[in-house]
Amino acid sequence: MCLFAWITHACAQTYPSNPSVTSTEVTNILVGNYTPSTYTASDIITDPAIIASGLLNDISRDTLTADLYALNSFANRNMFSDTTSTTTGIGAARRWIYNRFQLYSQANENRLRVAYLKFTYPPSAYTGCSAPGSNPTHYNVLAVLPGSQTTNKSVIVVEAHMDSRNVSNCDATGSAPGIGDNATGTALVMELARVMSKYTFRNTIVFSINTGEEQGLIGATALANYLKSKNVLIKTVNNNDVSGGVFCGHTSSAPSCPFYGNIDSLDLRIFSLGDVNSPNKQWARYVKLEYKEMLSSQVTVPTNINIMEPDDRTGRGGDHQAFTGIGYTAVRFTQANEDGNAASSSSGYKDRQHDLTDSLGRWNSKLGAYDSIYLNPDYLARNTLVNGNSLAMVALGPDTITMTGTLWTYNTIRVAFSSSYSPAPPAYRVAIRSATNDWDAVYTTTGQSPAVFSIPYGSNTTFYVSAAAMDASGIESQFSTEYVLSTSMQPLYVAPDTTRPEATSPDQYGIQLMPNRPNPFDESTMIAITSGTDAFADRAFLQFTTLDGRVLSRMPVHLQRGLNQIVFNHGYGASGIIICSLIIDGLPVQSTKMVFRGQ
Ligand SMILES: [Zn+2]
């Protein structure tokens, strides 16, 4: 906010600034202000199994390879590089990407809508070097596949940065092919736009090719801030950066590959911010679950998805952080092995990142093509599949639910659910984990709430529980908040969204009126009530009646979380059966029979 500019004529401006989408139609789609039928496919395909198989069959290592060659041809894609040439520089690159998106749209009934996200970032604002280039206006390329509904306006973003860099981040003319970093991620996102555009998803999917990552996540920041300013809800963001290389270099940044020259085309890393109860980690687990359940039985070469603990490699970052920094869920997908760049500024640097050797590889004259020592297009295709499958499932799937009560008893958990939509989901999934970032088990309910599951842990084990809604086609929503439980703790009540929960199903809140002891009794007896919550403390009493309904007495109960013990003194009187009822909000919710022996 620059309140006093009119007085001082000097006011610090933050960049990137003035983000705008160059198409009104795309702007309206992003904010959910559109008519879904405008974008209806003539063949509506929403079956998750068909879509997963379709992605597996259609993602093409040849298309990906062709895109890498094309991106290589622009010579330098520094954000401050040439914008007017038709063959080299960032301008030619973004126009080529824009045109590819248009072609993919035409091949799919024009359902994919293409625009630029335009923003201002003057070279003078970049402190990494003095005035590289002169152009203050920059563009990300957006392609938007409108969702089939606008009830839930959340969008899903898949992004990669197209810009490249040389040893000097200010070098806007020297060769900077930026193939591993990040033509691979760019090709991946473009390929997903191509193969996903024939399907119909509930949520809008945004394919974004960003600029200015190397100067500090500038294009991604413009996009994230733009979406935030428009109050756009985002289910999740998949950032793809350094996605198709297999070679371990000398200076790969930790945590990374095992030793120089190691080749790994089987593992994929997902970096994300946070630990317990991190929505980013929850999303990474969802990606892995969907791959396992939708694809692992079909693929010929399976991918091992590694959920990494840190937000990114040590000392390094990426475009996902522009989103997590303002509260959105986002993760980074990166190849397992990396060929640099822990110390790229050192004189002995031998790796292939952030310099002119980040190229298509070594020319093999026998093959008539580049070899795949450094880059492996089949690996890139497999990583594209992992990505696209997760996006497809979350874009098809239902809205997230919340758990309203999680109670642990001995070796079982009881979980209750609350969903914002009606009718309630046909089923739920409950995920638990303990020692690692991976879920140990993901249970499926039949829609009953509360649901009860055995847990595979011994005593004194801390574990984490979360839940998702499942729709009729078996697709999960994103998983809820994670709750911490322990096999040694009292039942835990998880507060619902309402501050005054209804007591119509007290079971759901762990409320249990236990049999009194002793029973039968002579003069007095102990009544125990467990509760998972303090919410009913001032709303409960015990009522004692005879079998014919005569009220003997009432006793307020300050019902607290945990075990509540109440002594009932009958005193002297005739023997008989007494009904003890727990009354909450004036309604009897549970009762027991007590036998008074009399005196
Ligand atoms: Zn990068």
Side-chain angles (χ1 to χ4, degrees), residues 161 181-182 213-214 241-242:
H161 74 85
D181 184 12
N182 182 34
E213 192 271 350
E214 301 291 3
D241 196 351
V242 187

Side-chain angles (χ1 to χ4, degrees), residues 43 73 130 205 237 240 302 324 328 339 370 404 417 521:
D43 184 11
S73 73
S130 58
I205 302 179
V237 179
N240 296 277
T324 52
Y328 286 126
D339 201 5
Y370 291 95
T404 54
F417 309 95
F521 66 100

